[in-house]
Amino acid sequence: MTAQILDGKATAAAIKSDLTARVAALKEKGVTPGLGTILVGDDPGSQKYVAGKHRDCAEVGIASIQRELPATATQEEIEAVVRELNEDPACTGYIVQLPLPKGIDENRILELMDPAKDADGLHPMNLGRLVLNEPAPLPCTPNGVLTLLRRYGVEIKGAEVVVVGRGVTIGRPMPLLLTRRSENATVTQCHTGTKDLSAHLKRADIIIAAAGSAHLIRAEDVKPGAAVLDVGVSRSAEGKIVGDVHPDVREVAGFISPNPGGVGPMTRAQLLVNVVEAAERSVG
Ligand SMILES: Nc1nc2c(c(=O)[nH]1)N[C@@H](CN(C=O)c1ccc(C(=O)N[C@@H](CCC(=O)O)C(=O)O)cc1)CN2
């Protein structure tokens, strides 16, 4: 068996095409949605992701607001830019690209954001709303994973899902989305303290690998027919992306998301969804 590809590029393109029409409708009502980004430092990966976000904006008609600070920026300097975007009426929503340089209090920066402008769904108020089952912008990568599973008809209801990783952008919020009544999955969260990862993986109908550990998920640990989503990013000596999932898993899994070309483009598409939804709320 060779796994069906969960094509994030194609799915993101379909989402962007729908958003293009919605942005055009907003513009007819006099509203141009605007996405702001705050990028601190010169990490090449972060620069690439932010550039991609603005390319996407141009594609669907969303205005771009870009703020860049050097790696030496102080907490106060970053906070000043957060306050500026909180007040900017042209900015419908914005993100602070993570991770921030060492020494910066990331949580304090996120807390300072206006939760109504939180395009990433990572403000503590919005994560709290998710816990409480209240409407909130959803974190982009977990929502991208869910959208991909739904588009390809992977059964989520009642599925045994293993999430590997506990980072703030995916590992922490992913189980919150999956265990909502609308999804009804059963979730096990694994991490570096998990004693027998292999035993958990072998039982999973869906594996979401977000550990950032190259080829951590091996074919012998995957149940035949399982859906495997590769969210991990490590780099080879040549600078190429190496995911968390070993290439041999394709021969065992029922569905697999490539990396690159799987969850990454979905993260970007869901960010645009959050901005357009915020703009639509503003016109009622
Ligand atoms: N504020 C945030 N910071 C970070 C987030 C986030 O959701 N919000 N997630 C990641 C990085 N990220 C978005 O910012 C992101 C990662 C990957 C991609 C992507 O399209 N990847 C491509 C490959 C790109 C390449 O060649 O390097 C793919 O998978 O096909 C987009 C966004 C951490 N920080």
Side-chain angles (χ1 to χ4, degrees):
M1 185 199 330
T2 302
Q4 183 175 355
I5 300 296
L6 301 171
D7 188 339
K9 255 190 180 169
T11 307
I15 292 170
K16 284 191 276 184
S17 157
D18 169 62
L19 291 175
T20 304
R22 287 163 65 181
V23 171
L26 281 163
K27 286 182 176 174
E28 274 175 22
K29 292 178 186 166
V31 174
T32 300
L35 171 69
T37 58
I38 301 178
L39 173 63
V40 186
D42 42 24
D43 174 73
S46 293
Q47 287 173 332
K48 196 170 181 181
Y49 300 146
V50 169
K53 290 172 188 189
H54 291 292
R55 262 199 317 279
D56 292 339
C57 283
E59 210 179 310
V60 306
I62 293 175
S64 275
I65 302 160
Q66 299 194 48
R67 296 287 178 268
E68 288 182 17
L69 292 102
T72 52
T74 62
Q75 181 85 25
E76 291 69 29
E77 286 166 338
I78 303 170
E79 290 179 10
V81 179
V82 168
R83 288 199 181 87
E84 182 219 323
L85 292 189
N86 281 347
E87 298 304 320
D88 183 350
C91 176
T92 313
Y94 68 98
I95 62 113
V96 178
Q97 188 63 33
L98 301 176
L100 288 168
K102 280 199 179 71
I104 300 297
D105 184 342
E106 208 162 271
N107 288 349
R108 164 131 180 96
I109 300 285
L110 292 174
E111 277 163 25
L112 255 191
M113 295 174 75
D114 177 351
K117 289 192 172 190
D118 168 27
D120 255 339
L122 297 177
H123 186 284
M125 172 94 79
N126 290 323
L127 288 173
R129 286 179 174 141
L130 186 55
V131 171
L132 297 172
N133 277 320
E134 287 174 6
L138 297 176
C140 302
T141 306
N143 202 21
V145 165
L146 266 189
T147 305
L148 208 46
L149 289 170
R150 289 197 198 109
R151 291 248 171 174
Y152 284 86
V154 177
E155 182 78 13
I156 300 172
K157 192 176 162 209
E160 294 280 346
V161 184
V162 168
V163 176
V164 188
R166 54 183 161 186
V168 74
T169 54
I170 169 144
R172 286 267 181 240
M174 190 78 245
L176 293 174
L177 267 72
L178 285 163
T179 53
R180 293 175 303 178
R181 285 187 191 279
S182 50
E183 264 60 51
N184 261 337
T186 299
V187 183
T188 303
Q189 184 150 40
C190 297
H191 42 73
T192 46
T194 299
K195 279 192 182 144
D196 190 352
L197 176 63
S198 170
H200 291 291
L201 293 173
K202 283 179 174 148
R203 291 180 39 236
D205 302 306
I206 300 173
I207 295 171
I208 300 166
S213 175
H215 296 171
L216 176 71
I217 312 297
R218 298 162 308 169
E220 59 267 34
D221 293 333
V222 174
K223 184 158 102 176
V228 182
L229 289 102
D230 190 354
V231 193
V233 178
S234 308
R235 297 273 168 186
S236 70
E238 300 76 39
K240 282 197 161 178
I241 290 181
V242 182
D244 281 2
V245 178
H246 193 282
D248 289 352
V249 171
R250 278 183 190 225
E251 306 309 319
V252 183
F255 300 87
I256 196 158
S257 74
N259 190 0
V263 176
M266 294 300 294
T267 297
R268 282 162 43 183
Q270 295 302 150
L271 175 65
L272 302 184
V273 169
N274 283 347
V275 175
V276 172
E277 285 181 353
E280 287 172 343
R281 273 196 300 278
S282 77
V283 294

